[in-house]
Structure formats: C-alpha cells, structure tokens
Amino acid sequence: MIGTISEWLWWDRLWLPGNLTWADLKDEEGLVYARASHLYVTVPYALVFLVVRYVFERLIATPLAASLGVTEKTRYKVEHNAVLEHYFITKSKHPGQADIDGLSKKCSWSSRQVERWFRRRRNQDRPGVLKKFREARYEICIKPWFYNLREVWNGYPRQSVLDSQYWYYILEMSFYFSLVLRITFDVKRKDFKEQIIHHWATLTLLAFSWCGNYIRVGTLVMLIHDSSDILLESAKIFNYAKWESTCNGIFVVFAAVFIVTRLIIFPFWIIHCTWVYPPDYYPPFFGYYFFNFMLVILLMLHIFWAYLILRMVKMFLFGSLTKDERSDNEEDEEGDGETSVTEDNDGHVKATNGCGAGGGANHH
C-alpha cells in the first residue's frame, strides 16, 4: 500500500516535463540535483530555530525592550469560575446580553461582574507588548536569472544546485516550519487562519519547487517575500517603544516596498516568468500548473494584506486612525468605556486617543 502511494506520489509526469524521468537527474561529476531527502534536515533545524528564538527573546530582546522603555501593561488575573470558563472555552468569548444575564444568575454575580470577568479573561489570552516586541525583534548573489528571467529556464530541469541555494532553502523552510509549530500552540490571533494558509502555502511551494528543481525561481520568490520584512519588524519595534514618528515613517516605506514587490514585481515579473516562459522550453505538465496555482494563492493573500496596509496608511496620514478592522483590542478591564490602546492581532497598529499611529500587517 505504502509502496503504491509512494510510486504514485513520485510519478515522473507529476514533477517533470514529458520527455524526462528521475533517471535523467542523477548526480554527475560537477552536477548536484535537488532531492526530497535533502529537506528532511528542516525538521531538526526548525526545532533549533525555536530554541534560538526562545533564548534570543529572553537574553537579548527583553533587555533591549527595557532600554527602549517598552513596558508591560498590568493585567488582572481572572478569578477562577468553572461556569464562566466552560462557557468561554466551549461557546463564546463575547457573550451577548441575554447570555450574560443567564450566567450572572448561575454564578450569583452581577451582570457587571460577569462582563468584567470576560474582559479580563480575553485580555489574559492576548500577547503582551513585551512578548510582541521580542517576536518582532527576532524576525528581523547576483546570478544571470536575477536580471534576465529567461535564464531561470535555461537548461531546466538539469540545473545543478548551488551551495547558496541549498542553504537559503533549508534555512527558509526551517524558519517557516518553526512558525507553523509556534503559532499552532501559541495564542490564536485574529488572522490565525490567514497565517496558517500563508505558511503552509509557502512550505508547499518551497518543497515542490525544490523537488521539481524550480530552485532558481524559488529563490526569486523568497527574495521578493523577504525584502520588506525587516522594515515591518523595525516599525513594530518602534511602535512598541512608542517612537511614533519613526514608526510611521518606516511603516510608509514598508507599505511602498510591499506594494512594489508583492503587487507589481511578483505578479508581473515572477508569475509572468513562471506562466509565460516555460512553454517555450517544454510542454506544460502537472507541476507547471500546480506551481502557478500556489503562486496565485500567495498573490491573493498579498492583495488581502495590501488592502489592509493601504487602509491603515490612509487613516493615519489623514489623522483619523482609531481602529484597524483586524484589531484584537486590549480592552479596558475596569469597563470605563475608554480604550487607550488599539492594536491589531500582532500589535502592529496603535492609536492613543488622537495620537499618531504606526504599525503594519502580519505577513512573511
């Protein structure tokens, strides 16, 4: 059974053009081809990333946060209540007024006490500013195909893997795999589903491009995605440190780089390269359609995030930013109706009663 599945999974026609088989891609002197077995090392590397991240956040990022004046907001620990906890976990984190009235009777509490309990319980599940600062601080070769995209397909699939390509793939996939492991067990934030889709689409795309020897275009896709990340993480750091002018300036630059790389270069250069050029070199096959399908999924996510980014830029440039529609607000635990801090799911946007704001959208 397993042998049949493996034989079908590695069927030549799924991965290679019609005139080639895996036998044609055996290593020779001076030529090394990509193998699926090369990717096994990403699993232990992902675990290493998690350990390194843990050590970095506590030994480096925490002292740095203190030096920049990033402080944690005091949170009240909720009183244990089995009835409310059961409702919170199994039914809803935001009960309606009728449910609040019913729960208050069961617990012999006032409606106000029940509302306060739910506010504090929701805040308890949200990552603090210091935690988000540490996360942000952590996430901070010219070849012919870099400037001539037709060179991507020159000699395909008989293209030897360079050492730089190997390590770029291994480290990138290990990093994304560590993100998947981390967010699976971390606090579930508002764009959890979008993050999961993005990370698994990226891992699938990278794994497929490696096994199908789409490595040249794969490195270009990774460069496109990595180019704006340092700006986003920098904006988040200054946001948490309350350096609003610096944060806003960096965020505008990040938004411009994101739009150029993700909505212009990615579709009109990269996808054009993977969709239009290959038929000039070989007949389209399953891998050709699957690879382009995954790129389109990423493009749709880019459009979704670009819309939110531009919306945020528009609001704070015109001085009207008070809330991001993706926001996962830090609620006032005393219920006085004033919310002094408004952040999105990763704390990328902040507004303090009319003050400036800075931040970004969570992406990779």
Side-chain angles (χ1 to χ4, degrees), residues 144-159:
W145 57 86
F146 187 83
Y147 52 84
N148 180 5
L149 293 182
R150 282 198 171 272
E151 286 293 324
V152 166
W153 307 110
N154 186 21
Y156 175 83
R158 295 188 178 93
Q159 297 170 339

Side-chain angles (χ1 to χ4, degrees), residues 75-176:
R75 293 180 176 180
Y76 297 97
K77 188 173 181 62
V78 297
E79 176 184 347
H80 177 71
N81 186 300
V83 174
L84 299 183
E85 184 69 24
H86 181 266
Y87 186 95
F88 183 89
I89 294 174
T90 62
K91 294 185 178 180
S92 175
K93 298 179 180 181
H94 299 270
Q97 189 57 50
D99 295 320
I100 289 176
D101 293 339
L103 290 169
S104 66
K105 291 178 181 178
K106 288 183 179 180
C107 301
S108 298
W109 285 11
S110 68
S111 296
R112 183 176 177 79
Q113 286 177 309
V114 173
E115 290 173 350
R116 183 183 293 116
W117 188 94
F118 274 95
R119 278 195 298 271
R120 292 179 177 179
R121 182 64 179 83
R122 288 193 293 267
N123 285 340
Q124 189 172 292
D125 273 356
R126 295 190 176 103
V129 173
L130 181 58
K131 172 181 172 60
K132 291 181 283 190
F133 177 93
R134 294 187 306 219
E135 292 176 358
R137 190 63 188 87
Y138 175 76
E139 297 175 28
I140 300 248
C141 80
I142 299 300
K143 295 295 180 181
W145 57 86
F146 187 83
Y147 52 84
N148 180 5
L149 293 182
R150 282 198 171 272
E151 286 293 324
V152 166
W153 307 110
N154 186 21
Y156 175 83
R158 295 188 178 93
Q159 297 170 339
S160 183
V161 177
L162 304 176
D163 288 342
S164 57
Q165 292 172 325
Y166 171 81
W167 284 111
Y168 194 6
Y169 260 82
I170 294 302
L171 294 177
E172 192 87 359
M173 291 189 67
S174 299
F175 176 72
Y176 273 106

Side-chain angles (χ1 to χ4, degrees), residues 49-59 138:
F49 266 113
L50 291 175
V51 174
V52 171
R53 180 171 189 155
Y54 178 86
V55 173
F56 181 91
E57 289 179 353
R58 279 145 186 81
L59 299 184
Y138 175 76

Side-chain angles (χ1 to χ4, degrees), residues 21 52 76 159 161 164 175 182-183 192 209 234 265 267 309 317:
T21 65
V52 171
Y76 297 97
Q159 297 170 339
V161 177
S164 57
F175 176 72
R182 194 173 193 278
I183 66 175
F192 173 76
S209 65
S234 299
I265 296 178
I309 291 170
L317 285 180

